[in-house]
Amino acid sequence: MKSHDSLGVAVIGTGKMGADHVRRIQEVISGARVTAVVDVDPERAQSVAAGVDGCTAYPDAALAMASPDVDAVLIASPGAAHEAALLAAFAHDLPVLCEKPLTPDAASALRVVEAERRLGHRRVQVGFMRRYDAEYLKLKSLLDTGELGRPLMLHNRHRNLASPPWWTSAMHINDSVVHEMDVTRWLLGQEITAVTVLCPRPSANAPEGLRDPQFVVMETDGGAIVDVEINVNSGFGYQVQAEVVCERGTARIGDGHGMVVNSGGRWGGAIAQDFIERFADAYDREVQAWVDATRRGEVTGPGVWDGYAVAAVCEAGVRAQSEGRRVEVELVERPALYR
Ligand code: NAD
Ligand code: ISE
């Protein structure tokens, strides 16, 4: 580390996720502090920097990375800006936590894989935070014991309260189902080989012209079938649920039975309203794991190969959606650095 004992982090993008990560690093995480924030909206960056001692606001990521106070970079700008920020971080050989998606398409994700390969060592953890969620971790441990036998099917439900005005039908795949694609590869330890997208009639909750909900079916090289209901205008809250069906049993997470209240002749509980609430612990664990690994000089968790593999599945998914047919996933050979 260039400066103090704790890791000096530059947070790139200070919108919903970036501002939450700044708060997290300052208030929850040990071993790190925010020394720089970057946003193309200078007022936003300055207002976030104003709340953090010793933090400077920059209009440009490369400028922040050149600062002696910056030891590591957390990228939370929109996906289209990730490639430039990642390449700038490689130029300074800085460790990175990059929010999902790695980049918006497979070709740009592959350029990042190639750039990291040229650097000669892994530098990036990708923000697939479900791998750090307590329930997903339990499910993964159970599957890894082999107690339930081989996984045959994985059913997923992914529901958002309401889509923002700029949301498109392709974003169901690229922005939301991207998480189930990563979860599938990680939980099952298998690659996704083909994607089909079915659309029922649109919900009356969805804006005119949006194909919502959608039903995504994925096939894996281990012979499993994975389905995802993605519904971004549920109208009632944010829910992420998964059930694995194995040869000798099933296991389900995400029912959200934190507390059940009996009152007035009814029973029930609360439903989270967004991902910040539902995955708060997972984001905390993800960022702490990144800080700890970085301070040890290591890179752990999902990396750029995972980001690329998922981008390739997304690309097949968007084609499957627009062409109304099953589309096979095309992956290049995995470089030795990622085996
Ligand atoms: P947002 O629109 O709220 O914030 C993005 C911020 O980045 C804005 O302040 C914008 O001005 C800034 N920005 C745009 N281009 C920039 C650039 N070139 N350099 C620096 N700043 C730039 O978006 P968000 O919801 O915070 O999403 C940010 C990232 O986090 C995206 O990659 C998104 O997919 C990801 N995300 C992840 C999760 C998750 O659950 N892991 C949830 C939501 C969003
Ligand atoms: C958002 O960008 C996320 O990454 C959330 O985890 C996901 O649930 C949501 O659908 C996306 O829009």
Side-chain angles (χ1 to χ4, degrees), residues 98-326:
C98 179
E99 264 302 345
K100 52 61 60 174
L102 177 65
T103 65
D105 55 67
S108 52
L110 193 54
R111 287 196 293 272
V112 173
V113 168
E114 286 302 319
E116 195 184 51
R117 208 163 64 88
R118 280 196 299 276
L119 199 62
H121 45 254
R122 286 188 51 192
R123 266 310 196 193
V124 183
Q125 176 179 326
V126 179
F128 288 128
M129 81 300 177
R130 291 200 195 167
R131 296 190 187 202
Y132 298 87
D133 173 68
E135 288 186 90
Y136 273 106
L137 283 166
K138 262 193 203 155
L139 184 56
K140 168 84 173 144
S141 304
L142 176 63
L143 292 178
D144 286 353
T145 64
E147 229 170 89
L148 298 185
R150 287 177 305 177
L152 306 173
M153 288 185 281
L154 168 61
H155 306 299
N156 302 275
R157 283 181 285 275
H158 186 163
R159 298 174 181 143
N160 294 2
L161 179 64
S163 58
W166 62 86
W167 194 270
T168 65
S169 297
M171 289 176 79
H172 283 68
I173 308 290
N174 288 328
D175 217 59
S176 300
V177 179
V178 65
H179 286 291
E180 277 78 14
M181 291 166 177
D182 178 62
V183 156
T184 296
R185 298 181 64 252
W186 171 70
L187 268 185
L188 306 187
Q190 298 171 17
E191 287 298 349
I192 298 164
T193 52
V195 189
T196 307
V197 179
L198 303 169
C199 297
R201 75 174 198 208
S203 158
N205 293 343
E208 181 77 26
L210 195 69
R211 295 158 85 175
D212 184 46
Q214 297 177 22
F215 191 74
V216 180
V217 180
M218 300 184 276
E219 298 161 49
T220 74
D221 61 0
I225 298 288
V226 178
D227 62 81
V228 188
E229 172 207 311
I230 173 65
N231 175 353
V232 299
N233 288 283
S234 73
F236 58 77
Y238 182 86
Q239 274 183 336
V240 168
Q241 300 168 336
E243 181 177 37
V244 187
V245 178
C246 299
E247 292 165 315
R248 290 192 290 278
T250 70
R252 193 170 78 193
I253 60 162
D255 288 335
H257 291 158
M259 178 167 69
V260 175
V261 177
N262 299 301
S263 174
R266 301 173 71 85
W267 65 269
I271 302 176
Q273 294 297 289
D274 71 2
F275 44 84
I276 297 274
E277 181 186 353
R278 164 67 182 86
F279 285 111
D281 287 354
Y283 297 124
D284 289 352
R285 229 173 268 116
E286 169 192 59
V287 176
Q288 189 67 66
W290 174 64
V291 167
D292 292 346
T294 302
R295 296 183 77 206
R296 293 193 306 269
E298 294 173 11
V299 179
T300 57
V304 298
W305 175 260
D306 301 294
Y308 158 71
V310 165
V313 181
C314 282
E315 210 156 282
V318 172
R319 275 181 56 206
Q321 185 195 70
S322 63
E323 296 172 18
R325 65 182 182 90
R326 172 183 179 275

Side-chain angles (χ1 to χ4, degrees), residues 64-81:
M65 291 183 208
S67 158
D69 294 334
V70 170
D71 305 306
V73 180
L74 193 162
I75 301 175
S77 48

Side-chain angles (χ1 to χ4, degrees), residues 317-335:
V318 172
R319 275 181 56 206
Q321 185 195 70
S322 63
E323 296 172 18
R325 65 182 182 90
R326 172 183 179 275
V327 174
E328 291 189 2
V329 177
E330 289 172 27
L331 280 186
V332 301
E333 198 183 326
R334 192 192 284 240

Side-chain angles (χ1 to χ4, degrees), residues 34-45:
V34 178
T35 50
V37 289
V38 182
D39 206 295
V40 288
D41 177 341
E43 279 174 25
R44 191 173 289 175

